[in-house]
Amino acid sequence: MTQQSPVPTWLQTLRAERATLLQEAETLTRDGGDLEGEQADRFDAIERALATNATQLDDAEARSTRMAEISGMLERGELKIEHGSDVGPDFVPQSFRGDPWSSSERMEISDRARRCLDAVARDAVVPGVERACERVERAFTGLDGEIDGDEMSRWVATTSDPNYMRAIVKLFRDPQLGHTEFNKDELAAYQRSKHLQRAMSTSAAAGGYLIPFALDPSILLTSDGSLNQVRQAARTVVTTSDRWHGVSSAGVVASWDAEASEVSDDSPTLSQPTITTHRLTGFVPISLEAAMDEVNVAEEVAKLIMASFDELEGRAFVVGAGDASNQPVGVLTALSGVTASTVNTTTADTFSLVDIYKLDGSLPARYRQRASWLANRAIYNLSRQFDTSGGAALWTQLQADVPGQLLGSTTLESEVMAASPVGTNAKFMVLGSFSDAYTVVDRIGSTIEFIPHLFGASGRPTGQRGWFAFKRVGADVVNAGALRQLNGQ
């Protein structure tokens, strides 16, 4: 009689977690009524946790079965283990040793992720990777945002593996047969990415494949030279879930107290802003000749994807309509109707020198040190004409290759903002600390899928292929008090 292998502790833990989640969901829905407020948010969180648990449980069950098979083969002498491998120690092995969910394994994965980030920053193939690495490391060490550090670490270690990059490059050059050229290490890296992608996906199936870390637009769009300047000035965080939950406060209100008297209650009022991420898609066509001839085709495709995402984000972060339109909430959208953040021009439909000083004076002093202007270039050109003699010292650093400064604050440009102060509610200039006021949330794990042939209007092939990429991003104003907008009335 064959003795049944004991159930591994980590498999028992996943089963127990699923049972607990199902019980909590049953408790919430027991009354049969509609869920609202915190109960609805908790039910959504349970659904996401159950989806993740189901993927992990499937992988764990398969791993447990495979481990039992290997154990039996070892006992019967049917399998021998050959030591030594050319897979570097900095990267995730084909299968986790021991308990993959234990604290020691998590620390090991976290350490590997850090070493991967160091290697990627050192050997960066596109600009801005070093800054992106710093932001991601802050996330999985728990210093920035609400993050599942374990999942973040696995994503970093998996998508920054050089073997994975080489595998993706082969797929970029030949999406249909590139996988036949994988060596065993590239195949292992690719398989790890598919397991991770299924675990991170909010849908039943995850198509395509994860974009390598060094090419991923969800972490590289903060690079210098981007036209999306609101993103550069804003606070950016990364998340592994559909929503980011933050904590904001107007700050502690200190007080003067008499000697030996009880201190007053100076506790701040806390709020929890929630930002939902939305899908941003991009499509990049590439000719057959370019795909065959371009040595760095993977980098070129990634750059084109980032450029298209950059353009759409630049617009959304200013005038995005929010959840109702499946977009981030733009700065102007969020400030609409916020009286305390609105400054009217002195004369209706007229932009004059006094309005610049008026807007600057309305911003609380604590935000001025980090303040930036945001306007259409046409507005900046109008303001330059106010002071033709230089007596008011409005502008400094007028060189073409240096960002301009207006009254000592950096100027950010947005083409979607009003180019004229004339018109109903023409909100044509914003001043404030965007890092305190505006938060951009990137959900990690951009995905790319391959379209083998593109067809023209007559239904015949055009000699092009296409790459369909998507990421998820959200944004909103979390502290309107740090911004002021100039309204033409």
Side-chain angles (χ1 to χ4, degrees):
M1 182 175 180
T2 303
Q3 183 177 0
Q4 186 174 6
S5 300
V7 178
T9 303
W10 44 273
L11 187 52
Q12 294 178 15
T13 301
L14 285 172
R15 290 174 177 174
E17 178 186 353
R18 183 168 186 80
T20 301
L21 290 169
L22 289 171
Q23 184 177 1
E24 186 177 357
E26 181 182 358
T27 301
L28 287 172
T29 58
R30 186 170 297 163
D31 296 335
D34 294 335
L35 299 178
E36 298 180 353
E38 294 183 0
Q39 287 188 331
D41 290 340
R42 179 54 188 162
F43 188 78
D44 290 342
I46 291 173
E47 283 191 320
R48 293 194 297 270
L50 281 171
T52 300
N53 176 273
T55 302
Q56 294 174 346
L57 194 55
D58 288 343
D59 290 343
E61 297 276 9
R63 188 181 299 115
S64 177
T65 301
R66 182 58 179 159
M67 288 172 65
E69 292 174 353
I70 293 174
S71 178
M73 294 171 69
L74 287 170
E75 290 178 0
R76 295 189 297 270
E78 299 173 1
L79 180 66
K80 293 183 179 180
I81 297 179
E82 296 181 2
H83 297 281
S85 171
D86 56 354
V87 178
D90 290 348
F91 304 109
V92 183
Q94 278 188 295
S95 60
F96 294 105
R97 299 179 299 277
D99 177 1
W101 309 113
S102 68
S103 58
S104 60
E105 284 289 349
R106 288 177 177 175
M107 291 178 64
E108 183 181 353
I109 293 298
S110 181
D111 288 341
R112 285 176 179 155
R114 287 188 178 89
R115 291 196 292 272
C116 289
L117 289 176
D118 291 340
V120 169
R122 183 178 63 250
D123 303 323
V125 295
V126 292
V129 171
E130 185 174 357
R131 290 175 56 191
C133 288
E134 293 175 357
R135 182 160 64 102
V136 171
E137 183 172 1
R138 283 182 58 85
F140 72 68
T141 53
L143 298 177
D144 196 0
E146 185 180 284
I147 280 292
D148 181 346
D150 182 54
E151 189 171 80
M152 174 70 78
S153 299
R154 295 178 191 276
W155 171 72
V156 170
T158 300
T159 59
S160 59
D161 186 338
N163 290 313
Y164 183 64
M165 172 67 88
R166 287 192 290 269
I168 294 303
V169 169
K170 290 178 180 178
L171 287 174
F172 270 39
R173 290 176 178 166
D174 188 352
Q176 294 172 314
L177 298 175
H179 65 281
T180 62
E181 300 178 13
F182 289 174
N183 62 34
K184 62 183 180 64
D185 298 331
E186 293 165 355
L187 177 60
Y190 180 77
Q191 290 173 337
R192 287 194 296 272
S193 76
K194 298 304 290 183
H195 282 295
L196 179 65
Q197 186 181 17
R198 285 194 293 270
M200 292 170 55
S201 177
T202 58
S203 58
Y209 37 86
L210 295 174
I211 297 178
F213 180 93
L215 304 177
D216 194 331
S218 67
I219 54 108
L220 293 177
L221 283 174
T222 53
S223 61
D224 294 332
S226 168
L227 296 176
N228 182 5
Q229 295 186 337
V230 173
R231 174 183 274 275
Q232 294 181 45
R235 178 195 178 198
T236 55
V237 299
V238 289
T239 182
T240 57
S241 62
D242 296 339
R243 298 178 182 178
W244 173 82
H245 300 277
V247 177
S248 64
S249 168
V252 174
V253 181
S255 62
W256 297 101
D257 298 305
E259 181 180 355
S261 64
E262 181 180 1
V263 67
S264 58
D265 183 1
D266 300 328
S267 58
T269 300
L270 301 177
S271 60
Q272 187 179 46
T274 299
I275 299 177
T276 302
T277 59
H278 301 282
R279 190 182 71 183
L280 174 62
T281 58
F283 183 72
V284 178
I286 184 171
S287 68
L288 297 178
E289 292 82 0
M292 294 170 62
D293 299 339
E294 179 58 58
V295 175
N296 299 317
V297 63
E299 296 175 28
E300 292 305 311
V301 170
K303 289 177 183 178
L304 292 171
I305 292 171
M306 284 189 283
S308 64
F309 283 176
D310 208 35
E311 182 179 354
L312 283 178
E313 282 191 359
R315 181 179 185 85
F317 292 160
V318 177
V319 295
D323 293 354
S325 300
N326 297 314
Q327 297 178 3
V329 180
V331 172
L332 295 185
T333 305
L335 294 181
S336 179
V338 182
T339 304
S341 295
T342 301
V343 177
N344 292 322
T345 55
T346 304
T347 304
D349 294 336
T350 302
F351 180 37
S352 60
L353 176 61
V354 68
D355 296 321
I356 292 180
Y357 288 108
K358 186 177 182 181
L359 187 62
D360 178 75
S362 68
L363 186 68
R366 59 177 167 170
Y367 298 124
R368 288 178 191 158
Q369 286 282 72
R370 300 178 296 277
S372 299
W373 301 84
L374 179 66
N376 190 296
R377 187 174 183 84
I379 297 297
Y380 290 137
N381 288 338
L382 286 175
S383 66
R384 289 178 186 274
Q385 299 174 48
F386 294 154
D387 180 23
T388 57
S389 302
L394 281 174
W395 285 88
T396 59
Q397 298 183 3
L398 299 184
Q399 300 94 320
D401 59 341
V402 178
Q405 289 195 338
L406 178 59
L407 292 182
S409 296
T410 301
T411 55
L412 307 176
E413 186 177 334
S414 172
E415 294 180 348
V416 300
M417 291 192 67
S420 168
V422 179
T424 304
N425 294 322
K427 301 175 180 62
F428 59 92
M429 182 174 267
V430 175
L431 174 65
S433 173
F434 288 87
S435 60
D436 292 303
Y438 198 65
T439 298
V440 175
V441 180
D442 292 307
R443 189 185 190 279
I444 63 167
S446 299
T447 302
I448 188 166
E449 297 184 6
F450 173 65
I451 311 298
H453 291 288
L454 304 186
F455 295 87
S458 300
R460 293 185 290 271
T462 62
Q464 293 176 297
R465 293 172 172 169
W467 294 101
F468 174 65
F470 55 93
K471 58 171 285 191
R472 293 164 68 188
V473 61
D476 202 351
V477 170
V478 297
N479 178 15
L483 296 175
R484 293 293 184 271
Q485 62 179 349
L486 190 59
N487 181 16
Q489 300 187 61

